[in-house]
Amino acid sequence: MRNWELRVDDIDTPTAGPGQVLTKVLSCGICGSDLHMLKHGEEARQLSDELDDGLPPDPTRPIMFDPSGDMVMGHEFCCEVVELGPDVANLVVGDVVVSMPVAFDAGGVHPLGYSNNYPGGYSEYMVVNEMLAMKVPDGLPHQMAALTEPLAVGIHAVAKSRIAPGDAALIIGLGPVGLACIASLKMQGIGPIVGADFSPARRALAEHLGCDEVVDPAVESPIEAWRRVDGSKPLVIFEAVGVPGMIEHAMRLAPKDARVLIVGVCMQQDQFHPMLGIGKELSLQFVLGYDPLEFGSALDAIATEKVDLAPLLTGTVNIDGVPQAFTDLGNPDAHAKILVEP
Amino acid sequence: MRNWELRVDDIDTPTAGPGQVLTKVLSCGICGSDLHMLKHGEEARQLSDELDDGLPPDPTRPIMFDPSGDMVMGHEFCCEVVELGPDVANLVVGDVVVSMPVAFDAGGVHPLGYSNNYPGGYSEYMVVNEMLAMKVPDGLPHQMAALTEPLAVGIHAVAKSRIAPGDAALIIGLGPVGLACIASLKMQGIGPIVGADFSPARRALAEHLGCDEVVDPAVESPIEAWRRVDGSKPLVIFEAVGVPGMIEHAMRLAPKDARVLIVGVCMQQDQFHPMLGIGKELSLQFVLGYDPLEFGSALDAIATEKVDLAPLLTGTVNIDGVPQAFTDLGNPDAHAKILVEP
């Protein structure tokens, strides 16, 4: 990406520094955040600039890269070690790994997939820090391992929600993030889980993951569906769409005292009525990312088949096919997760 | 009030039904919510109408009254029992009481101060349910007892924040609600407490209540003040202004992982950038009101002088003076709490 436009181009192969390894990308999922970034990143970048108060850049700033420079996106990757940098002790060439999408060096911390300095996974080669790399268990296809990152998002959101057995969950938006939340809730024994999406294909995926009730919001209000199947347990709502208006929408649906987890990444300015939150004493918890333990437990859940995410994989492209894949992902009935296999 | 305009008028003396008492209002504080309601109530009412989904009206709806009918505001009252309705067992004529501002009867629940059916405290007489009335201890001036309600707001907001010793607090807006939060935090031993307001008079009141550091936002950013005096403890921010833009402002100030309590009542549509919350994983907890235990502990704290709220009382008017008092409260340097003494 350069100047908020996708380009397919040749770049230099990056170099592994101390504690880093050079890897060949085996597969890398295309994330909705990348689509949002391309379309609305400039607005988010301006917000970042306004926040610039002279403190050093840190990952809590929405945008840390220079959009006029080259940036290779892709943060849901599985890759194979092809060269060791200095001081690497625990990885060997041929290891297949996943990693939290962060690189660090003497210059600081770099978000892999949103950095001018380190290419992300929509490229042939990328650099990963040994300390964050996790070996993919033998026999697990790299396509499945590439789903570690999106599942970790769901595991983190569910952990942050403090939801517990005895609570119910409503998932608004059944894209990969909403589906990851369902998979995570299911592993924790939460139920009933109600999922809402206009797309029949996505509702079918949610059912495959164990969603107790799916609803087409064009036919029935998601909150009515929750009342129909339960309506008594404390409700946690996961907003997993991430476009303007969805937070207000979730606040309107929410019953009194509900917690609303903001998992979708809306990069534009949004509008809402605080009175909706006040009258119902709602809590809005924004979430982002995951920690290394959550990332590791996502890999473990996939490897040990605690969840079956295989039906989410709806397409594969090579690097030349990335721009078309960005377009194709606009059709939720055709695709859930498209992998890039360079 | 009728059609969103203040009027001073004669109304019929209300009648105490079963379990209710007729009282003479001794004093009643003018609340910022009343000023907001007068100015922006129509927008909040339209929101309420949109939410009308055929379910019976309930107190989570922002507006339950008909603005074209008469409505007497005033929900921070202390009053004296002058007549007992049927089936009243524990109150006698002459008792001085405060009450949560809710009346109930066979027709349902009515918010005192925002109801067409029951006048609030800006009138000579009002009806209170025995079950919610709390006797004011002997010797406590009714003017001080009338501060029970605003203090209960602070006690509830602090309880809902789950703040604990070891956390720090930043209060944005040092009107009666912000000051009540400070009083409540102080009683819980929380510190440091940083308070921010443009008004020197209000900053002085905050200091009187034990606020550890007060800051004029025109001179220093409130978050810089917090960094200066502490900057290491987990921070809970109390937004106690309640006008559009303040939630975004608090989100910009907030450090990573902060909780933001929305205590101010903004009745208009508001704008914000969800990215600010996402990047810092903020939580926004909206709060409203209090429960009977919190209300009782507010009365107890005032009666036993755990807090000294006397300096908040900056003026007294009779009923004829209410419209002018609404205007005067626009000057934060001149006034904090004006009491109506009919």
Side-chain angles (χ1 to χ4, degrees), chain A:
Chain A
M1 192 196 86
R2 193 192 301 156
N3 293 323
W4 307 113
E5 284 186 13
L6 282 186
R7 316 159 44 99
V8 178
D9 221 336
D10 291 323
I11 58 169
D12 292 339
T13 301
T15 310
Q20 297 179 328
V21 295
L22 179 68
T23 71
K24 192 177 167 337
V25 178
L26 301 174
S27 51
C28 182
I30 299 179
C31 174
S33 293
D34 294 343
L35 278 71
H36 288 201
M37 183 66 80
L38 198 65
K39 221 168 166 178
H40 306 293
E42 180 57 22
E43 188 171 343
R45 194 192 62 77
Q46 284 171 12
L47 185 67
S48 270
D49 282 358
E50 285 171 32
L51 292 180
D52 190 358
D53 46 15
L55 295 172
D58 73 80
T60 66
R61 300 285 169 74
I63 309 279
M64 293 168 65
F65 59 86
D66 171 8
S68 69
D70 283 336
M71 182 193 85
V72 181
M73 295 199 281
H75 57 270
E76 307 177 355
F77 49 82
C78 176
C79 50
E80 182 181 338
V81 177
V82 295
E83 201 177 296
L84 307 182
D87 310 324
V88 170
N90 299 309
L91 289 176
V92 297
V93 170
D95 278 344
V96 176
V97 297
V98 293
S99 166
M100 284 180 56
V102 174
F104 50 91
D105 57 28
V109 173
H110 311 267
L112 286 174
Y114 298 114
S115 162
N116 298 118
N117 301 317
Y118 285 83
Y122 307 157
S123 61
E124 286 181 84
Y125 295 99
M126 62 187 295
V127 161
V128 168
N129 279 72
E130 179 190 25
M131 201 181 281
L132 290 175
M134 296 181 188
K135 287 187 203 178
V136 173
D138 285 345
L140 183 65
H142 58 77
Q143 294 89 345
M144 293 302 298
L147 295 172
T148 299
E149 201 275 351
L151 180 58
V153 170
I155 288 175
H156 175 70
V158 169
K160 197 92 182 171
S161 77
R162 298 178 285 114
I163 199 168
D167 295 337
L170 169 61
I171 321 295
I172 302 175
L174 301 175
V177 166
L179 293 169
C181 290
I182 290 173
S184 174
L185 288 163
K186 203 70 194 168
M187 286 192 281
Q188 297 220 12
I190 305 293
I193 306 170
V194 178
D197 200 297
F198 292 105
S199 155
R202 296 200 158 178
R203 293 198 300 273
L205 285 171
E207 285 188 308
H208 170 81
L209 289 170
C211 191
D212 298 291
E213 184 80 18
V214 294
V215 55
D216 178 353
V219 174
E220 183 182 22
S221 160
I223 206 72
E224 288 302 325
W226 167 69
R227 285 204 189 96
R228 180 163 50 72
V229 299
D230 180 88
S232 62
K233 291 180 177 174
L235 184 65
V236 181
I237 298 177
F238 293 80
E239 195 308 277
V241 177
V243 301
M246 287 308 299
I247 293 175
E248 163 108 354
H249 178 67
M251 291 170 77
R252 283 177 186 246
L253 290 181
K256 187 158 166 42
D257 293 319
R259 296 200 291 285
V260 181
L261 273 283
I262 314 295
V263 198
V265 177
C266 171
M267 296 192 189
Q268 301 117 285
Q269 191 176 55
D270 202 356
Q271 298 194 316
F272 75 139
H273 286 86
M275 276 303 275
L276 292 168
I278 294 167
K280 299 193 263 196
E281 294 208 283
L282 302 181
S283 116
L284 304 184
Q285 172 71 58
F286 296 87
V287 295
L288 179 71
Y290 30 73
D291 64 29
L293 283 177
E294 290 161 345
F295 198 83
S297 72
L299 176 60
D300 177 72
I302 294 170
T304 59
E305 297 183 342
K306 283 194 197 113
V307 289
D308 175 21
L309 301 180
L312 268 69
L313 298 175
T314 53
T316 303
V317 295
N318 59 19
I319 290 175
D320 290 336
V322 170
Q324 183 60 42
F326 268 57
T327 305
D328 293 346
L329 281 166
N331 177 358
D333 264 331
H335 283 294
K337 183 60 74 184
I338 296 180
L339 291 183
V340 182
E341 297 191 13

Side-chain angles (χ1 to χ4, degrees), chain A residues 50 156 270 272 281 284, chain B residues 50 156 252 270 272 281 284:
Chain A
E50 285 171 32
H156 175 70
D270 202 356
F272 75 139
E281 294 208 283
L284 304 184
Chain B
E50 286 169 36
H156 175 69
R252 284 177 185 245
D270 202 357
F272 75 139
E281 294 208 281
L284 305 183

Side-chain angles (χ1 to χ4, degrees), chain B residues 122-209:
Chain B
Y122 307 157
S123 60
E124 286 181 85
Y125 294 99
M126 62 186 297
V127 161
V128 168
N129 278 72
E130 178 189 24
M131 200 181 280
L132 290 175
M134 296 180 189
K135 287 186 202 177
V136 173
D138 285 344
L140 183 64
H142 58 78
Q143 294 90 345
M144 294 302 298
L147 294 172
T148 299
E149 202 275 351
L151 180 59
V153 169
I155 287 176
H156 175 69
V158 169
K160 197 94 182 171
S161 77
R162 297 178 285 114
I163 200 169
D167 296 337
L170 169 61
I171 321 294
I172 302 174
L174 302 176
V177 166
L179 294 170
C181 290
I182 291 173
S184 174
L185 289 162
K186 204 68 196 169
M187 285 192 282
Q188 297 220 12
I190 306 294
I193 305 170
V194 178
D197 200 297
F198 292 105
S199 155
R202 294 198 160 180
R203 293 199 300 274
L205 286 172
E207 285 190 308
H208 170 81
L209 289 170

